[in-house]
Amino acid sequence: MVDADFTTSLRNTDRAIDPNLRKVHALSRPQGLAVGIHHISKTFGKSPALKHVSIDVEPGSFVALLGPSGCGKTTLLRILAGLESADSGTLSFGDRDVTHVAPSNRRCAMVFQSYALFPSLTVQGNIEFAVPRSTPRNARRQISIDLLKRVGLESHARKYPSQLSGGQQQRVALARALAQSPALLLLDEPLSALDAAVRYDLRNHLRTFQRETGLTTLIVTHDQEEALALADRVVVMNHGVVEQHASPEDIWNAPASLFVAQFVGAMNLLESVELQNDLLIHAPSAGQAIGFRPASARLRSPRESDPAHAIIGTIADITFQGGHFASHVALLHREQFITIHHSNLLNQSASGSAHQTPPGSREFSVGSREFSVGSRVVIELPERAAHRFDEHGRRIGAEQP
């Protein structure tokens, strides 16, 4: 687990830094750096990895590059670091063109998934090694001590990497990256190798740290929850192109494409449908698909007054999923299932247990109506919760990235 005093150490370290060292190492408040990525393309053999990617990163922001394996996100991060060269396009850091600048002159630091610590050096030695050689020896030592305090590992200074947990090693890797006094921090899936509890804690502390320092940061991840929780802006990538670049809220509430809608969070998707008085109906000529989150819709019993072409389903199963229950509905004449979330299970005790009832006997209510496995239902969906996509998979009314 992450040390409890980690966040406090972030705030206290600034006051502990020797004023004379601030001139040598801008640790406390690095200036946020604007990053411009303009029409970057990259091909490996005959396989295009990036196709005319353009992204503007605001100074001091935290940006997540999100997408499945092979989408180009790590290639883009390596091009930013100078570890790969682009086939075309330009890069700018602030008002400086760095497209052909050597990695050592870009003032960016990269933290790898594998940590890449030197096993023969102590924790403090790993950090001191990254401090520029032009820095006086005493100053290098003080910088490493200050950074260890910043990441809450000052008591582990004399240990070797093999003596640390995965979360502690990742924090050493972060401190070593900061020892370079970077203007840009690049994180390549830094939390993916950690177990869930450590990953959750370190994620929160990483966000706190970024806010404390104001350091422009880009993180590569395939974890949607991680991207939404950490970033000010999320760039969703697929097959080497940017599908959407927006705030986490807009990525969730207004996905720009079918890919974003289905990749980020759970999304039901129905083709050739329409809404009529907030009821989903068959519409073969509609030429659109409607997507909706499982918590956005409501089930109810069919009524005689419903349109003849209302979509009807049968509850096939009700499953417990932690903070809610999920009804899995088989749609008639569609050979398709959708999922609806709800929390009002009838055969629960006041403590929240389900009286150890078999899953097939679980029931829930909507208003005065009770439902169970086998119940026939229709789907009510507010217009505001419907995400409409055209035949090309683009959100209707969305701006192109």
Side-chain angles (χ1 to χ4, degrees):
M1 297 294 291
V2 176
D3 296 342
D5 62 349
F6 182 29
T7 303
T8 303
S9 71
L10 300 182
R11 299 189 179 98
N12 292 341
T13 301
D14 286 347
R15 293 192 291 270
I17 299 174
D18 184 338
N20 294 325
L21 290 178
R22 295 185 189 274
K23 299 177 182 179
V24 177
H25 188 79
L27 175 64
S28 71
R29 287 291 188 274
Q31 295 295 314
L33 179 70
V35 176
I37 302 168
H38 304 127
H39 308 291
I40 292 293
S41 294
K42 178 68 177 180
T43 299
F44 294 102
K46 295 182 179 180
S47 302
L50 297 170
K51 307 172 187 176
H52 306 290
V53 171
S54 293
I55 304 167
D56 288 318
V57 179
E58 295 184 359
S61 62
F62 200 139
V63 175
L65 303 178
L66 173 66
S69 298
C71 72
K73 56 188 186 294
T74 296
T75 298
L76 181 57
L77 202 74
R78 289 176 61 84
I79 288 174
L80 284 168
L83 303 179
E84 296 279 358
S85 59
D87 296 336
S88 61
T90 60
L91 298 174
S92 61
F93 290 177
D95 57 1
R96 181 184 177 212
D97 187 330
V98 297
T99 308
H100 304 293
V101 172
S104 59
N105 294 324
R106 294 195 181 196
R107 283 202 65 202
C108 64
M110 192 164 180
V111 177
F112 297 92
Q113 177 182 347
S114 61
Y115 317 140
L117 300 177
F118 297 113
S120 60
L121 295 180
T122 64
V123 166
Q124 186 170 339
N126 266 275
I127 298 171
E128 283 190 33
F129 185 87
V131 180
R133 296 295 93 187
S134 59
T135 306
R137 183 172 182 178
N138 288 341
R140 291 203 304 270
R141 181 175 181 278
Q142 187 61 50
I143 288 168
S144 67
I145 292 172
D146 291 335
L147 283 166
L148 283 170
K149 291 178 180 177
R150 181 172 283 275
V151 299
L153 290 177
E154 60 269 33
S155 62
H156 300 274
R158 297 186 180 279
K159 292 183 179 179
Y160 290 88
S162 61
Q163 298 173 299
L164 303 179
S165 68
Q168 290 170 334
Q169 289 184 56
Q170 191 57 279
R171 284 152 60 190
V172 174
L174 176 61
R176 187 179 63 180
L178 294 172
Q180 303 170 47
S181 189
L184 175 65
L185 181 62
L186 306 175
L187 307 172
D188 186 11
E189 303 207 45
L191 309 181
S192 62
L194 306 176
D195 65 57
V198 174
R199 185 168 65 247
Y200 180 81
D201 282 344
L202 195 54
R203 183 182 75 193
N204 292 337
H205 291 312
L206 182 60
R207 180 59 177 151
T208 299
F209 174 83
Q210 194 275 336
R211 285 174 175 168
E212 290 281 334
T213 61
L215 185 62
T216 302
T217 302
L218 279 80
I219 185 171
V220 159
T221 181
H222 62 268
D223 186 323
Q224 303 115 42
E225 181 180 341
E226 183 174 289
L228 296 177
L230 280 173
D232 304 310
R233 305 282 292 180
V234 177
V235 179
V236 183
M237 299 181 65
N238 186 35
H239 295 307
V241 301
V242 174
E243 290 276 344
Q244 187 172 6
H245 178 197
S247 68
E249 294 81 4
D250 283 345
I251 294 289
W252 183 266
N253 295 318
S257 68
L258 277 174
F259 174 80
V260 176
Q262 294 179 300
F263 185 76
V264 181
M267 177 76 74
N268 294 303
L269 182 68
L270 298 176
E271 297 181 353
S272 301
V273 296
E274 190 50 271
L275 281 174
Q276 182 175 320
N277 298 323
D278 289 348
L279 189 69
L280 279 169
I281 62 174
H282 297 283
S285 61
Q288 67 172 5
I290 289 181
F292 58 94
R293 300 291 180 191
S296 299
R298 191 178 78 151
L299 302 177
R300 69 163 173 81
S301 297
R303 301 170 184 162
E304 290 185 3
S305 59
D306 288 339
H309 45 304
I311 294 176
I312 297 177
T314 301
I315 298 177
D317 197 9
I318 301 173
T319 59
F320 176 63
Q321 298 188 356
H324 60 267
F325 287 84
S327 287
H328 306 284
V329 181
L331 302 181
L332 301 183
H333 311 301
R334 281 187 171 257
E335 298 183 353
Q336 182 178 357
F337 284 82
I338 63 170
T339 301
I340 306 297
H341 292 170
H342 49 84
S343 58
N344 48 343
L345 199 68
L346 289 180
N347 44 18
Q348 276 188 314
S349 67
S351 65
S353 66
H355 297 306
Q356 298 185 6
T357 54
S361 66
R362 289 173 176 158
E363 299 178 337
F364 66 96
S365 65
V366 177
S368 59
R369 181 71 171 89
E370 298 179 5
F371 297 90
S372 61
V373 172
S375 296
R376 286 170 68 90
V377 293
V378 294
I379 303 99
E380 291 185 327
L381 178 69
E383 178 64 45
R384 66 179 181 278
H387 305 283
R388 298 173 182 270
F389 303 96
D390 63 21
E391 62 271 21
H392 303 294
R394 303 304 304 177
R395 181 184 180 87
I396 295 176
E399 295 182 2
Q400 297 298 309

